[in-house]
Every structure is written in C-alpha cells, then in structure tokens.
Amino acid sequence: MADDYDVIIVGSGAGGGTLAHRLAPSGKRVLILERGDWLPREAENWDAGAVFVDNRYVSADTWFDHEGKAFQPQIHYYVGGATKFYGAALYRLRLLDFGELTHHGGTSPAWPVGYDVFEPYYTQAEQLYQVHGARGEDPTDPPSDSPYPFPPVSHEPRIQQLFDDLGRAGLHPFHAPCGVMLDEARPERSACIRCATCDGFPCLVHAKSDADVIAVRPSLLHDNVRLIRNAHVRRLETDASGRTVTSVVADVDGREERFSASIVVVSAGAANSAKLLLSSGSDAHPRGLANGSDQVGRNYVFHNSRAFLAVSLEKNDTRFQKTLGLNDYYFGDDDFGYPMGNVQMVGKSSAPMYRGEKPLETKLAPTLALKDVADRAVDFWLSTEDLPSPDNRVTLDLDGNIVLSYTPNNREPLEQLYHRVKKHLSHLGMHPHHLIPRDVYMKNDIPVAGCAHQAGTVRFGHDPQTSVLDTDCKAHDVDNLYVVDASFFPSIGAVNPALTVMANALRVGDHLLERLG
C-alpha cells in the first residue's frame, strides 16, 4: 500500500481543487487523485471545429439512458475538471434558493443550512477565483458585506447597446459575475485578452479562473501536496465495521494501486461520485458505500436550459460576449407567479460551430449564409430549475456502466421565460423569427448528455434516512468519508453551480482543518 496521507481527494475540479488549495498551507499531507492529465496546450484549444464539432476534449465514456440507449456524455477528464471548459460565470445562489420554493411543477426543497452559512465562503471563493462583477445591479442579488474583488467586465458595443435597450424597456440587466484574469485598466499586464474562445473552450493563455490554474497549481507549490494524474479511482474499501474507509483503489497508468488516508474526500462530479459509491458496496454496505438511506444516485438535477442565437439586424462584432445577465423573471412576474430563472449570454458563436449542411443553412436563416448568421448572431442561455426526483437517478448496469435515468420536469417556466425574452428581443433589433435553438446547429443530439451542471446525487441533510451526507458533507454512514462536488446539492436553483461548489469546498476545508487539528 502507498504511504498514508492525512487527506485523499478524488478529483481536482471546482470542489476537489478548491479544497486542496484550502488545505495546502496547513502542512497536512494531501494527495489528489485525478482521472485525467494536464489538458494539452495546443492550437486546437481555440479551434471551434476541434472543440465543438470533433469533440476533441470530450471523454470517450459511454453512458446509457433509462431505455438502454448508449450516449457520449459531454464530460471532460483533466486537471481542473469541468472548470477547464466552463464559461466562468460565478453566481451565488439567490437567498430564497436556500429555502423551500413552490414551482409550477412542484417543490424545491430547503437546504439544511442557510445562505448566512455560505455567505462568508462565497466572498472567499469570489476572491480566490478573481470574480469580476458589480453589486446592486441585479435586483435578486443576495446580501453581501463585501464588493466583488474586481470591477465588472465591460460590455463591448453591441452588448452595451442591448444592456441599454433592456434598461429602457424597464428591466434590470447587470454585469454577469465572471472569473477571468482580466485587467482592463492595464491591458499590457492583463493575462486575459478578451478572446472569443472562452466559454466552452480551454484557455490557451491560462487566463480563465479555472480550478487547475487558480487552485491546483498553487497547491502543488507546497511540498505536502501531491497530485497523481491518470489515476482512475475504481472503489473505496472499508474496515469490517464499514465505518472507516481504509483503502482508495485506483488504476494508475494501467496498474492497480491502493492509497490510504485519515480522511477521504470524493469530488468526481455528481454522476461519477455516485458511481464510485455504488461500486464500493460490501457486506457492511450492501447497496453501495454510504447508501443506508438508498439515496445515493437519486435526485439527479442539471437545469432546464435552452441556448439559442438571435439573428440581429446589425452585425455583432463582439468577441467576449458573456458579460450580461438578467434575473427580472428569476422568481416570476405578475403573469406567472412561479420562479422562471436566469438569462445570460454565452460565448459568441462562429461559423465553424455550425455544421454547415445546406438543410441546416435553410433552417438557420433562409436569406443568410452561415457566415452572415455568425456575423449577426447574439447568443443567449436560459436556465430554469429542474426539481429533484428520486426517480431521476444514477444507477449501474451489470458491467458497472453508468445508467442515467432522467425524465424532465418543471418545463413550463422555461417556456414562459423564453416567451418573455423573445418578446423583448423582437423589439430590440433582432429578427423575431430567427431565434435559433443551439441544438439545431451544434452536436448536442441527446439533451441528457449535456451534463455540465450536474448535481444532487449525494445530498446533504440532517436526517440519515433521507440524505447521504450531514451538514459538514460527511457521510452519515462512514466516519471519514466526505463529498464536495455538486452532488451534495438538495436543489440547484437557476444559476451556474460552480461558485457554490467552490464556497462549500472552502467551508468543508475549514471543518477538516479543525478536525485534523
């Protein structure tokens, strides 16, 4: 068996990487086991065809839906995890998201701890991940005693025009909180160059605030932190009582190796964390490790979302487009008294992202060539809350493969939100009939494969009968097992989950430092 550690962290993304950063200065012996490798720095990082059409960086994993149909999940295994490709939109959950909320399609449950517990850690996470933003513009912004650590990323002219137009229409657009290493006051010193290849692309110049660059690499400057790459953790083994994880079993470059630590933290993503626990069953845990509640894998959520481009009457030469958000309808309006959700920009689409087939060109815009569409496109992302259901879940087939069973719910708020956005855009210089869903022109054939915001399979709570983890994210059934990715979420709200994962990792990190003494 390999040398003992104080803490083993499985996964190096928003949860695992941030936790390592919190633990690194303590001198505690920390081992990070990452399934992937360093993401290669190469010209293809910024090649839209390579990234979006060829799926150059997407895992070759095969998952199955509830009907047994195979699909390739849009998932990435690299140091830094999903943050290597995220748009770095770092929102706090809204204050009311932490309480029970009545939705059109059912109820979103309350969290076992409130926003007040997370607030100081949100502030710390925003500082660590260099978030740019402006407090007070967004009417749903939760309370904070601290400003954003960096000024908001400025809008380019076409987005500033949209910002102004929305304001004149009586809405409250805001500068989206964004984690980039940008210095607009001193561009000659800025790592970020405001390129058009941020959202969905890896950053070739390491200027995106991802968990690799922000958290893992600085952690490795401490001699007490070790990273093993290409380490696919297969199972966790416990002592006879089942109360203590004694071995982390991993394939490392094709060899089986065992590692042990006082504390084991799982942060492999909601689907893979559930898979690891379900794969680690034993006599003491016949339904899977830490699964006495039969809740491991259940309540998978990943947002009801719709991405689309609007074809503008004028050209949109914006490069860094993801600077605007709108939450006026987050909790509903006078005509629809249920929460709807968040509107934000996504990265600027380009002609190579479109598949380029003649029928597609006709579907996109009968009077415009694909390049003309790209030149005039303004790209939006709508995100509404899907509700946890015990039947929306991760299970394993007889070969140990992930089976992701998911039936959509609470879909009406997305239609209501889309209707409102479409109505506004038709008055703001957009072709009213040219709002094109992204799945028309991108390779995204199976909605459930888009799992960037996956959450909820290993929920935390007070009751061991209805949750897997306690409020410190420790397994109820196992004394030294923690989970810090988004699988701990009881609900997902309607904003990007990354900042909440980061804040929680810092919170759990403080708990672990106190426990280790």
Side-chain angles (χ1 to χ4, degrees):
M1 181 170 301
D3 292 341
D4 290 346
Y5 294 85
D6 293 301
V7 181
I8 293 175
I9 303 171
V10 180
S12 62
T18 306
L19 176 62
H21 189 275
R22 176 50 51 98
L23 299 179
S26 71
K28 301 300 180 184
R29 300 184 65 196
V30 177
L31 173 64
I32 308 168
L33 297 173
E34 168 53 48
R35 180 170 175 172
D37 206 333
W38 302 113
L39 192 143
R41 300 182 74 182
E42 55 188 6
E44 287 84 355
N45 288 175
W46 283 353
D47 185 318
V51 173
F52 289 101
V53 179
D54 298 337
N55 282 335
R56 181 177 182 86
Y57 302 106
V58 174
S59 164
D61 280 12
T62 299
W63 295 0
F64 297 86
D65 66 15
H66 67 283
E67 295 179 339
K69 182 178 179 181
F71 66 92
Q72 182 182 18
Q74 297 293 301
I75 198 165
H76 308 89
Y77 299 130
Y78 294 101
V79 178
T83 67
K84 294 301 293 184
F85 294 84
Y86 75 162
L90 295 175
Y91 287 80
R92 299 182 179 204
L93 284 174
R94 313 291 92 178
L95 178 64
L96 295 179
D97 284 328
F98 286 86
E100 183 175 288
L101 274 176
T102 300
H103 288 258
H104 182 272
T107 300
S108 178
W111 287 42
V113 298
Y115 174 78
D116 59 319
V117 172
F118 275 81
E119 198 284 328
Y121 292 105
Y122 273 134
T123 298
Q124 293 175 33
E126 288 167 348
Q127 292 167 346
L128 175 60
Y129 281 87
Q130 303 187 30
V131 181
H132 296 243
R135 304 261 189 243
E137 292 181 330
D138 175 4
T140 71
D141 225 1
S144 174
D145 294 331
S146 303
Y148 280 105
F150 294 92
V153 178
S154 65
H155 302 308
E156 294 178 43
R158 182 66 186 90
I159 306 306
Q160 183 64 53
Q161 179 186 339
L162 177 61
F163 185 95
D164 295 340
D165 288 344
L166 290 170
R168 281 190 287 270
L171 300 173
H172 301 84
F174 57 88
H175 289 82
C178 186
V180 288
M181 301 173 210
L182 174 68
D183 188 343
E184 294 190 80
R186 298 179 296 180
E188 74 281 0
R189 301 186 183 185
S190 178
C192 174
I193 59 173
R194 289 191 68 124
C195 70
T197 49
C198 188
D199 191 8
F201 295 84
C203 182
L204 182 59
V205 295
H206 284 180
K208 183 192 295 188
S209 295
D210 62 48
D212 167 23
V213 175
I214 288 287
V216 176
R217 293 180 192 234
S219 298
L220 295 176
L221 298 176
H222 297 262
D223 291 340
N224 54 297
V225 179
R226 181 187 181 195
L227 168 68
I228 300 180
R229 309 184 310 279
N230 301 306
H232 186 177
V233 176
R234 297 293 188 177
R235 65 186 183 277
L236 308 178
E237 296 177 344
T238 69
D239 61 9
S241 72
R243 296 295 308 185
T244 302
V245 176
T246 55
S247 298
V248 178
V249 183
D251 290 341
V252 181
D253 292 325
R255 304 183 313 276
E256 181 176 283
E257 295 194 24
R258 281 177 160 75
F259 305 89
S260 64
S262 299
I263 292 169
V264 174
V265 183
V266 174
S267 189
N272 276 304
S273 287
K275 176 184 177 181
L276 178 57
L277 298 183
L278 293 171
S279 299
S280 300
S282 65
D283 290 343
H285 297 276
R287 291 189 291 197
L289 186 60
N291 197 24
S293 62
D294 191 32
Q295 292 299 302
V296 171
R298 294 186 184 273
N299 300 295
Y300 178 93
V301 288
F302 75 124
H303 279 146
N304 290 322
S305 299
R306 178 172 297 165
F308 65 91
L309 63 81
V311 182
S312 176
L313 294 174
E314 58 189 89
K315 287 192 173 183
N316 177 20
D317 59 1
T318 303
R319 292 176 59 80
F320 193 94
Q321 183 172 258
K322 199 177 176 73
T323 59
L324 183 151
L326 187 73
N327 277 337
D328 286 70
Y329 304 113
Y330 196 95
F331 293 112
D333 62 11
D334 291 342
D335 297 321
F336 188 76
Y338 299 99
M340 283 181 264
N342 169 259
V343 181
Q344 59 183 274
M345 315 303 294
V346 290
K348 182 73 177 69
S349 63
S350 60
M353 296 182 186
Y354 312 152
R355 283 180 275 187
E357 303 156 359
K358 275 294 182 183
L360 174 67
E361 190 167 328
T362 302
K363 191 180 294 186
L364 274 171
T367 61
L368 296 173
L370 291 179
K371 184 179 184 305
D372 292 325
V373 172
D375 288 344
R376 298 172 186 274
V378 182
D379 306 79
F380 294 86
W381 179 275
L382 311 184
S383 182
T384 65
E385 185 167 356
D386 61 332
L387 303 177
S389 166
D391 294 326
N392 285 344
R393 63 186 299 197
V394 172
T395 56
L396 304 181
D397 66 15
L398 295 177
D399 295 320
N401 298 307
I402 287 177
V403 177
L404 183 53
S405 302
Y406 183 84
T407 300
N409 62 53
N410 198 38
R411 297 287 292 179
E412 183 60 23
L414 182 61
E415 298 305 323
Q416 293 286 338
L417 184 60
Y418 180 67
H419 171 75
R420 283 156 178 77
V421 172
K422 182 176 181 179
K423 179 180 68 175
H424 285 296
L425 293 182
S426 67
H427 299 295
L428 299 181
M430 311 289 182
H431 288 279
H433 301 299
H434 290 164
L435 301 184
I436 315 298
R438 199 161 186 156
D439 60 4
V440 167
Y441 60 90
M442 299 278 283
K443 284 189 174 180
N444 188 19
D445 300 324
I446 302 173
V448 78
C451 50
H453 291 184
Q454 57 178 297
T457 57
V458 190
R459 299 198 298 176
F460 77 157
H462 295 295
D463 186 353
Q465 299 303 311
T466 58
S467 59
V468 181
L469 310 172
D470 67 16
T471 55
D472 292 320
C473 290
K474 184 190 78 67
H476 290 299
D477 298 348
V478 186
D479 295 329
N480 68 336
L481 175 63
Y482 291 77
V483 180
V484 297
D485 54 34
S487 56
F488 85 93
F489 283 35
S491 65
I492 196 171
V495 291
N496 311 53
L499 188 72
T500 302
V501 175
M502 296 160 178
N504 184 63
L506 296 174
R507 183 181 75 93
V508 173
D510 280 353
H511 163 77
L512 293 180
L513 289 173
E514 182 178 352
R515 173 173 171 169
L516 289 166

